[in-house]
Amino acid sequence: MDRQAIARHVTSALERGQHVLLESEVYELLALAGLETPAWRVWPVEGELDETWLGELPGSRVVLKVLSRRILHKSDVGGVRIVEKDAAAVRLAAQEMLGGVPGAWSRYEGEHGRDGTQDPEVEGLLLVECVAFPGELGRELLLGARHSREFGSVLTVGIGGTDAEFLSARLEPGRGHAIRSSLLLDRAGIRHMLEQTLVVERLTGKARGRARVVEPEQLEELVASFARLVNLFSPLDETAPAHLEELEINPLVVATDGRLLPLDGLMRIGPRRALPRSRPVGKVSRLLHPGSVALVGVSQKMNVGRIILQNLLDADFPSDRIHILKPDTEEIAGVRCYARPADLPEKVDMLVLAVSAEQVPAELEAICAADCAESIIVIPGGIAEKAGGEAIQARIDAVLERARALPGGGPVINGSNCLGVYDRDAGVNTLFIPDYKLPRPAREGQDAPGRVALLSQSGAFMICRMSRLADLDPVYAVSYGNQMDLSLGDYMEALLGDTSVDTVACYVEGFADLDGLKTARLARALTGAGRRGILYKAGRSAEGQSASAGHTASIAGDYETCRQVLPEAGVELTETFEDFENRVRLARALGPERGPAGHAPQVAVVSNAGFECVGIADNLARASEGRLELAKLGEYTREKLQQAFVEGRLDSLVDVKNPLDLTPMATDAVWATCVEALLEDSGVDAAIVSIVPLTAAMQTLPAGPGHREDLCAATAICARLAALRAASSTPFVCAVDSGVLYDPLVRQLESAGIPVFRYADEATRYLRRHLCSR
């Protein structure tokens, strides 16, 4: 690859004011990058046809195309002809084509004209080798790259030709076109990208009844060369020759002689763009677990600032390390007040601004001038996300620019429009939600296996999850709001080195510029270390994008790119709020560990209902999520189960097998013995314990009139399963498929850290997702 020649090629075009490259110029660029192109010659619009050109092109026919920076889809306007390779025929076709094309304008009309002038509509004609290839459906590829504001340069491979978009929209996501970040692609990633697309499956002979027409390695090398070309224009590279807006080969065909050739090319470029403003990200650690805090906006009466102060005091944060900025006041709730930022007795780790949006710029100016805080949380909304807030945002940006010139880079800012930070271990709680509205669980004994951090662009989403998942108690919960400074990727960077967290669960409406790329890169490192990343991406539809712009000033971006790039980095992308909650629940209860590498996880199943055994077996595998397999039980396990059946007088009703159907006659004791035997089997990686609680043989109701049951008794199934959960290293989930009468049973099991689902197939589905995610 001739990097210097490529740089000269695009720099020269920009110097001429040309932001769209002609097809011939794209072919030149591809050749410089080491990609093969068809033979071609340019016939300038003011020049005569040189008949020797025809002799230099192979074959008996030639393709004639218009060359225009304004006509991006030549076939749509009659700008492509295939003619016999005869000078007279070529001249006649050229005359007819030029007579019909000049009135056609692309959707980019007027976008990239020279200063003071406009490019001519047609600059010339392109004479191209007529490449022979089968014209049947599925023989044309698209290979493209475009700039994503969130992810930088992204590659697309898939169905090509004029029907590419139509066909791809009707296929399962990822089968029509695979999308990846060019900067995160390695050879294995390229191979997987190609394997998932239907057209490559067909071309490489993996589709039924189709012969192989190209070797997979040939396609891999082509995509690798294309990615290297695209990465020369990396938006992260300050020496890149230009900004790459779009580069597309469509179609790319396998010629009958085996060559992989582009039959059209499009490239749009622009001046290199400035990188996002840098931030002293190392200070995020001060924000996550501060040793000192200052508050602005605390009232003698109850307001947002006063709730935050009370939450800090209730969490036993040292009162002598809390400082309030409030003129003409000595103290509030026993905490000393100071008139100005410059009067603070120390440079605090965290300063919380709980004031109106209009007050924020002046407060920030004073804080930065005094250099009195390492990090700032800006609570109020009504800045970037509200009409008329642009002036406030501009003043804040100016303050930040000046702060970055300070020694150490000034403070980092979380927000605006946020709830701030909850740090379980440091006693930090800036969430302006009273404790009696959002009580945190008492920490008794050992933590659950999983240690979760919540990072949410929406504060409401975060506290709703903390309320619904009452036993979650995250290590950190961060509501980061509008990302006026700190981004999701910055928090991911901080948590990557924090071993107190093994699962990072995120709610995102829109990534900051290039922060999707940063997040994906860090998620790959996180999951590569055996930890988990779980993410819900909002703003998927036009309506959702509009709502997110009004909520957190987020530009939602392209959801399809997010949906394909992040899972390749190991992120578990969730489809619904419920899906997000369930995955977080399992990560908390079972820990970050996945199933064994190299083979499907081996699962034991026990129920007291035959329909559940059948339903669970039916749901063990799903192509897009992985596969669980029923474990083959060891001889010792089988003997122990048989003994339990004899002692429980079930041996005439139940056979030893997997799934294990205990029937409604099994008691709590029999259940416990059977579950223990399954968990102890070295061939079992996980278990599903599905209880139909209506049987009279088990204690599944709270103590009360009309019966003798007590689900809280030491001999009841809840206590027995809780003991097994504490003693066993083999994970298991429960299902309780019954009505509200059995909600206390569910709550009791969950209080022991056991994940409980209300349907057996749901329990199976989420255990599969947990164990098989990669």
Side-chain angles (χ1 to χ4, degrees):
M1 180 177 293
D2 193 334
R3 297 171 182 265
Q4 292 183 342
I6 291 171
R8 289 194 299 270
H9 192 75
V10 297
T11 301
S12 175
L14 289 176
E15 289 172 350
R16 297 192 302 269
Q18 296 167 345
H19 294 246
V20 177
L21 270 61
L22 299 173
E23 183 177 343
S24 55
E25 294 168 338
V26 174
Y27 285 163
E28 287 182 281
L29 194 72
L30 294 176
L32 290 170
L35 279 74
E36 192 170 5
T37 68
W40 55 272
R41 296 292 182 271
V42 172
W43 178 6
V45 72
E46 301 297 335
E48 293 294 327
L49 175 66
D50 185 337
E51 296 186 17
T52 62
W53 296 338
L54 299 179
E56 294 168 354
L57 300 178
S60 59
R61 296 190 299 172
V62 65
V63 181
L64 193 63
K65 301 183 181 183
V66 295
L67 285 176
S68 171
R69 301 182 196 280
R70 298 181 180 280
I71 303 174
L72 303 187
H73 301 287
K74 295 178 280 291
S75 59
D76 292 348
V77 296
V80 180
R81 297 281 186 93
I82 298 177
V83 298
E84 294 299 317
K85 205 169 64 175
D86 170 79
V90 170
R91 290 190 180 96
L92 178 61
Q95 182 179 3
E96 292 175 349
M97 195 159 57
L98 289 174
V101 164
W105 295 79
S106 80
R107 66 178 183 273
Y108 303 104
E109 175 182 349
E111 183 179 350
H112 297 307
R114 291 192 186 98
D115 292 339
T117 64
Q118 284 197 337
D119 292 339
E121 180 69 16
V122 175
E123 297 184 28
L125 296 171
L126 185 65
L127 301 169
V128 192
E129 166 191 0
C130 187
V131 176
F133 73 98
E136 61 193 51
L137 187 67
R139 297 299 292 266
E140 296 176 307
L141 283 161
L142 178 149
L143 177 58
R146 63 176 178 82
H147 176 75
S148 160
R149 181 190 61 80
E150 300 177 312
F151 292 93
S153 298
V154 293
L155 298 188
T156 300
V157 176
I159 299 170
T162 56
D163 292 328
E165 292 182 9
F166 174 83
L167 293 172
S168 184
R170 285 153 179 80
L171 293 173
E172 183 181 341
R175 291 288 281 160
H177 292 96
I179 302 171
R180 299 290 187 273
S181 163
S182 65
L183 291 169
L184 299 179
L185 263 186
D186 54 18
R187 198 59 179 246
I190 291 173
R191 186 175 306 116
H192 182 254
M193 180 185 191
L194 292 170
E195 288 174 348
Q196 81 174 60
T197 61
L198 190 64
V199 64
V200 171
E201 185 177 312
R202 177 169 179 166
L203 291 173
T204 55
K206 294 180 180 178
R208 182 179 178 183
R210 296 292 174 179
R212 176 176 292 185
V213 297
V214 63
E215 294 298 324
E217 295 77 14
Q218 191 180 355
L219 284 172
E220 289 173 22
E221 184 55 42
L222 175 73
V223 174
S225 297
F226 188 79
R228 286 193 290 270
L229 170 61
V230 170
N231 287 341
L232 292 182
F233 302 89
S234 166
L236 301 178
D237 185 356
E238 294 184 344
T239 67
H243 167 75
L244 176 61
E245 189 65 39
E246 182 180 12
L247 173 59
E248 181 179 284
I249 299 171
N250 185 25
L252 174 75
V253 302
V254 183
T256 53
D257 59 9
R259 291 179 296 163
L260 278 168
L261 295 174
L263 299 190
D264 199 358
L266 165 68
M267 187 173 187
R268 293 192 295 129
I269 57 175
R272 190 177 57 78
R273 299 179 181 180
L275 290 171
R277 181 174 55 216
S278 63
R279 302 170 290 280
V281 177
K283 296 185 179 184
V284 172
S285 61
R286 303 289 189 94
L287 186 70
L288 290 177
H289 29 79
S292 56
V293 178
L295 304 174
V296 181
V298 180
S299 172
Q300 293 282 8
K301 298 180 180 180
M302 192 57 64
N303 70 346
V304 168
R306 185 61 184 269
I307 294 173
I308 294 172
L309 172 62
Q310 194 60 51
N311 284 346
L312 288 170
L313 294 173
D314 289 345
D316 295 326
F317 195 91
S319 60
D320 61 339
R321 302 302 302 279
I322 304 174
H323 315 294
I324 298 173
L325 285 170
K326 190 174 182 66
D328 304 320
T329 306
E330 291 188 6
E331 60 88 20
I332 297 176
V335 176
R336 185 174 175 182
C337 299
Y338 300 87
R340 302 172 303 154
D343 297 334
L344 289 172
E346 60 180 328
K347 187 173 185 177
V348 295
D349 290 331
M350 173 199 288
L351 188 147
V352 182
L353 276 180
V355 296
S356 70
E358 292 75 16
Q359 294 174 277
V360 168
E363 295 288 354
L364 284 178
E365 185 78 60
I367 293 163
C368 292
D371 193 21
C372 64
E374 298 286 13
S375 67
I376 301 172
I377 294 176
V378 179
I379 297 290
I383 300 179
E385 77 280 3
K386 182 171 172 46
E390 297 86 355
I392 298 175
Q393 185 64 58
R395 291 175 61 192
I396 292 172
D397 288 340
V399 172
L400 272 174
E401 287 294 337
R402 292 192 293 272
R404 292 294 176 256
L406 294 172
V412 291
I413 297 181
N414 182 84
S416 58
N417 191 17
C418 72
L419 292 178
V421 175
Y422 168 84
D423 179 341
R424 182 188 70 186
D425 298 327
V428 175
N429 182 357
T430 74
L431 315 183
F432 49 90
I433 309 298
D435 276 349
Y436 59 83
K437 286 282 190 177
L438 187 64
R440 303 316 309 142
R443 298 183 65 189
E444 300 175 358
Q446 294 184 335
D447 275 346
R451 302 179 302 278
V452 178
L454 284 176
L455 305 177
S456 179
Q457 196 162 9
S458 164
F461 179 89
M462 183 177 80
I463 60 176
C464 288
R465 305 290 74 75
M466 292 171 70
S467 176
R468 286 177 56 85
L469 302 174
D471 61 340
L472 174 61
D473 198 22
V475 178
Y476 306 110
V478 180
S479 159
Y480 59 89
N482 291 352
Q483 303 177 99
M484 64 167 54
D485 189 35
L486 290 175
S487 67
L488 172 63
D490 295 336
Y491 285 107
M492 290 284 290
E493 183 176 345
L495 293 178
L496 183 62
D498 190 332
T499 56
S500 69
V501 171
D502 52 40
T503 296
V504 181
C506 312
Y507 169 88
V508 182
E509 291 182 2
F511 292 99
D513 291 353
L514 299 179
D515 202 55
L517 173 61
K518 180 177 182 177
T519 299
R521 192 191 299 274
L522 292 165
R524 172 177 284 183
L526 184 85
T527 58
R531 298 155 80 184
R532 284 182 181 266
I534 300 170
L535 187 142
Y536 181 91
K537 176 64 173 69
R540 308 175 188 187
S541 63
E543 294 80 5
Q545 291 169 9
S546 175
S548 67
H551 177 221
T552 53
S554 299
I555 302 173
D558 178 5
Y559 177 64
E560 186 57 33
T561 298
C562 178
R563 180 162 62 178
Q564 294 205 41
V565 171
L566 290 179
E568 281 298 304
V571 174
E572 298 171 43
L573 202 63
T574 63
E575 288 298 317
T576 64
F577 295 163
E578 182 182 26
D579 188 22
F580 179 90
E581 281 186 13
N582 283 330
R583 290 183 188 239
V584 171
R585 262 201 316 146
L586 286 185
R588 163 75 171 162
L590 305 184
E593 292 78 12
R594 284 118 171 128
H599 66 82
Q602 303 297 294
V603 177
V605 177
V606 56
S607 175
N608 56 348
F611 84 92
E612 289 197 332
C613 292
V614 175
I616 291 171
D618 283 343
N619 281 277
L620 289 176
R622 183 174 177 183
S624 61
E625 295 179 347
R627 178 180 183 84
L628 303 178
E629 292 180 353
L630 291 171
K632 183 177 180 180
L633 303 180
E635 191 58 37
Y636 176 75
T637 303
R638 299 178 69 85
E639 290 175 0
K640 190 170 181 180
L641 290 172
Q642 186 62 41
Q643 182 180 352
F645 297 163
V646 171
E647 293 175 357
R649 298 180 180 181
L650 298 176
D651 52 314
S652 63
L653 300 174
V654 180
D655 290 327
V656 175
K657 58 184 178 181
N658 187 22
L660 186 60
D661 181 359
L662 293 181
T663 79
M665 308 308 293
T667 64
D668 301 79
V670 171
W671 265 92
T673 302
C674 292
V675 172
E676 181 180 32
L678 296 174
L679 296 179
E680 290 177 348
D681 193 311
S682 61
V684 172
D685 298 313
I688 300 169
V689 180
S690 193
I691 303 167
V692 175
L694 292 87
T695 172
M698 298 175 69
Q699 299 191 75
T700 56
L701 291 174
H707 63 80
R708 297 181 179 180
E709 294 186 21
D710 181 4
L711 63 84
C712 295
T715 55
I717 189 64
C718 288
R720 294 175 185 271
L721 290 180
L724 291 174
R725 184 256 180 195
S728 176
S729 61
T730 302
F732 67 91
V733 298
C734 281
V736 176
D737 186 355
S738 290
V740 296
L741 185 63
Y742 299 94
D743 287 354
L745 171 66
V746 172
R747 288 194 294 269
Q748 187 71 12
L749 290 169
E750 288 179 337
S751 69
I754 300 170
V756 183
F757 297 88
R758 299 311 293 262
Y759 298 97
D761 59 344
E762 184 184 34
T764 309
R765 181 165 65 250
Y766 278 101
L767 182 64
R768 182 181 64 237
R769 289 174 178 174
H770 183 82
L771 295 177
C772 298
S773 64
R774 287 287 181 266

